[in-house]
Amino acid sequence: MKYFLLIQLLLSQVYFSQSVSTNLDISVKEMLSTSNALSANLSFYVSDENGNLVYEYNGNKGLSTASTQKIFTSAAALETLGKNYQFKTTASYSGKISNGTLDGDLYITSNGDPTLGSWRWENYKPENFKQQLLEAIKKSGIKKISGNLIVDDSYFDFQSTPGGWPWNDLGNYYGAGTFGVNWRENQFDININGNLFKSFSYDLENVNWINELKTGGSSDQSLIFTAPHSQTALINGMLPAGKVTTVSGATPDPPMQLAVEIQKLLGENGISISGKTTTYYNEKLAGKSISKAPNQNQILEYRSPTLDEIIYWFLRKSINLYGETLIKTMAKEKRNNPSFETGVDFLKDFWKSKGINPMMINFADGSGLSPQNYVSAKAQVQALLYAKKQNWFDVFYEGFPTQNGIKMKSGTIKDSKSFAGYQTSKNGKNYVFSIILNNYQGGSISNALFKVLDNLK
């Protein structure tokens, strides 16, 4: 009797799996037969929780993933850096302190903490760091600085954005680069009434604006154009008339922005600086050289949230800055070369060592913003299956948003969309999937993909 029941159970599972596969195939063919998908490319792969194939359509084909690329970066970071990893920012000085005067320079440096001054955690906001720094300076006995205030941003190399990022992304908040010292997530906000600037979230240092905005439409159709270390920013496009819209941009020089804010903080508290306020790379751009932050005479060590907390926001809100910082951090920590090229090579080698065919993971960055990322749906499923077996999986899984009733990460670039994640059907079957659709023109690409994925519910 038990044998008979087991056979029935196995047959029902096989039938159900075949039914799901058939329904997926019907939905895929219906989607690709529409006029919107005339020139579209699709890579789709579904397995059960044990890695057994349920359905695939061009599963090996590499397509532009957009932000589902973050799956690879976050999982590799959790394993190689550890979920308790913390970034740190320090304050130190050169010279000596005598009668309240620092006869030397005050340094602020970091190992690239992307959360420094972030608003996402109550205890890590800009005011928190500034207050702790001010208290440390006062505690050290410094009342006057005869030298310079230097933000040492040399921990990473000078290149702050991957080479494959489009120009029209760089000036917008999601195109913020990563620096050796980051500040306020390298983002600023502008409140704009129609096409007139009303206010900034904070005063930007050394940025001159060209405003070519027009009014019209009902949504934000504006773009900001600027670049790292640029002193010129252009905003154009269209914003609705008669109401205030908040537009967010990428800070051109976050280390210098922090330096100026610290200078102001000290001045407001009666601590004068006789020298200049500058950064390591600004001096290098001027053809000058300065010493890096000394290891001795440290007066403050300020630690970031742990990596598991950072990964949550990285996946949940798809913060590109975090992805590129993690790429450079893994490159620095594991290969002592904090370049994007080294980080991307490390990420590819990591997943190759986990059994993914390197032909299916042609990475260009850590966040997915570059259209030069080409990854297959099968590779994403393999990464998701690997993550599911690790002791850090709960942290990883928690970061996935729930969309259309499914726990999955999404990715979006022009006329392209991807989803990858986990789903338990009403029959209790656990699926792992990735679907990537490129060049789907017109209509709602998300709804088209939801209709396919509904078969897994």
Side-chain angles (χ1 to χ4, degrees):
M1 185 68 176
K2 289 183 178 179
Y3 179 77
F4 178 73
L5 290 174
L6 179 61
I7 292 295
Q8 278 192 319
L9 177 62
L10 289 173
L11 287 174
S12 66
Q13 288 179 337
V14 169
Y15 172 79
F16 183 72
S17 179
Q18 289 175 339
S19 176
V20 169
S21 178
T22 299
N23 291 338
L24 285 169
D25 194 54
I26 292 170
S27 294
V28 164
K29 288 175 179 176
E30 285 180 351
M31 179 182 71
L32 294 179
S33 68
T34 64
S35 59
N36 304 112
L38 178 66
S39 298
N41 282 313
L42 175 70
S43 183
F44 186 24
Y45 197 92
V46 182
S47 80
D48 65 18
E49 61 184 336
N50 297 314
N52 299 309
L53 176 65
V54 173
Y55 178 80
E56 74 169 313
Y57 184 97
N58 290 335
N60 292 334
K61 177 173 282 191
L63 297 177
S64 294
T65 58
S67 282
T68 52
Q69 165 74 11
K70 293 178 171 69
I71 288 168
F72 296 102
T73 306
S74 55
L78 283 167
E79 180 148 323
T80 61
L81 300 175
K83 66 180 183 180
N84 295 318
Y85 181 88
Q86 289 179 284
F87 294 90
K88 63 181 180 179
T89 301
T90 62
S92 59
Y93 64 88
S94 63
K96 61 181 181 179
I97 302 169
S98 179
N99 297 322
T101 298
L102 170 59
D103 185 16
D105 301 324
L106 178 66
Y107 290 83
I108 312 296
T109 192
S110 178
N111 62 344
D113 180 4
T115 71
L116 186 65
S118 172
W119 62 92
R120 299 183 196 278
W121 292 270
E122 185 61 35
N123 295 329
Y124 293 89
K125 293 181 178 180
E127 295 73 21
N128 184 277
F129 174 73
K130 288 180 180 181
Q131 186 59 38
Q132 289 196 36
L133 175 63
L134 181 62
E135 290 173 1
I137 291 171
K138 288 181 176 179
K139 187 175 180 180
S140 70
I142 297 174
K143 298 178 181 178
K144 179 181 179 182
I145 300 170
S146 66
N148 307 308
L149 169 61
I150 301 168
V151 171
D152 178 3
D153 52 347
S154 65
Y155 186 78
F156 291 154
D157 62 354
F158 182 73
Q159 184 180 343
S160 59
T161 57
W165 281 13
W167 168 238
N168 61 347
D169 287 336
L170 294 185
N172 300 284
Y173 73 96
Y174 54 85
T178 185
F179 297 74
V181 177
N182 300 296
W183 179 239
R184 298 179 184 266
E185 293 198 3
N186 304 346
Q187 174 182 327
F188 64 87
D189 302 323
I190 320 174
N191 292 318
I192 305 173
N193 191 345
N195 61 352
L196 300 176
F197 287 5
K198 300 297 292 183
S199 63
F200 284 76
S201 52
Y202 55 87
D203 294 331
L204 281 174
E205 180 66 16
N206 295 329
V207 177
N208 301 304
W209 283 91
I210 299 174
N211 184 350
E212 295 183 350
L213 282 169
K214 294 180 172 58
T215 56
S218 58
S219 63
D220 180 359
Q221 299 296 320
S222 67
L223 282 175
I224 297 174
F225 293 86
T226 188
H229 294 280
S230 174
Q231 295 186 351
T232 301
L234 161 69
I235 185 169
N236 62 18
M238 190 175 296
L239 289 176
K243 70 174 186 177
V244 175
T245 304
T246 300
V247 178
S248 299
T251 309
D253 192 349
M256 192 63 195
Q257 182 67 37
L258 174 60
V260 170
E261 290 188 34
I262 292 173
Q263 178 190 38
K264 181 180 179 182
L265 172 73
L266 299 184
E268 290 172 345
N269 286 273
I271 302 172
S272 63
I273 303 170
S274 299
K276 58 185 174 181
T277 297
T278 189
T279 71
Y280 176 89
Y281 278 124
N282 274 328
E283 291 302 295
K284 193 169 184 177
L285 284 169
K288 302 174 183 177
S289 62
I290 56 173
S291 299
K292 295 184 179 182
N295 293 323
Q296 69 276 14
N297 300 332
Q298 183 174 302
I299 60 174
L300 174 67
E301 181 178 279
Y302 186 88
R303 290 187 173 268
S304 74
T306 53
L307 184 62
D308 55 356
E309 297 179 75
I310 295 172
I311 292 296
Y312 173 85
W313 286 111
F314 175 46
L315 292 172
R316 185 60 62 95
K317 292 298 183 182
S318 212
I319 307 166
N320 295 329
L321 165 67
Y322 290 8
E324 305 316 322
T325 302
L326 291 173
I327 278 286
K328 284 204 163 191
T329 299
M330 287 187 284
K332 177 74 171 181
E333 293 271 355
K334 302 303 176 182
R335 296 189 175 173
N336 197 32
N337 182 1
S339 69
F340 286 114
E341 182 180 6
T342 300
V344 167
D345 285 345
F346 174 82
L347 188 65
K348 187 170 184 178
D349 288 345
F350 175 88
W351 287 109
K352 180 181 176 182
S353 74
K354 308 307 177 188
I356 296 181
N357 188 324
M359 298 292 288
M360 296 195 298
I361 45 172
N362 191 8
F363 300 145
D365 63 16
S367 65
L369 185 59
S370 172
Q372 296 176 8
N373 287 296
Y374 293 102
V375 174
S376 75
K378 182 178 180 180
Q380 290 199 325
V381 169
Q382 288 177 307
L384 292 170
L385 286 167
Y386 177 81
K388 204 169 189 305
K389 300 174 183 176
Q390 309 311 311
N391 60 11
W392 40 260
F393 176 68
D394 288 349
V395 170
F396 179 74
Y397 182 78
E398 180 63 22
F400 280 55
T402 298
Q403 302 172 78
N404 191 42
I406 301 175
K407 193 80 166 174
M408 57 186 178
K409 181 76 187 79
S410 64
T412 308
I413 53 177
K414 181 176 172 59
D415 296 327
S416 297
K417 191 82 178 184
S418 62
F419 292 107
Y422 307 89
Q423 170 65 7
T424 300
S425 73
K426 60 185 178 183
N427 288 14
K429 188 79 170 178
N430 293 316
Y431 296 107
V432 183
F433 68 90
S434 168
I435 189 166
I436 309 167
L437 182 61
N438 285 184
N439 201 31
Y440 182 93
Q441 301 179 39
S444 172
I445 188 170
S446 291
N447 287 338
L449 293 178
F450 288 162
K451 188 174 180 180
V452 174
L453 294 175
D454 281 346
N455 291 289
L456 300 178
K457 291 183 176 178

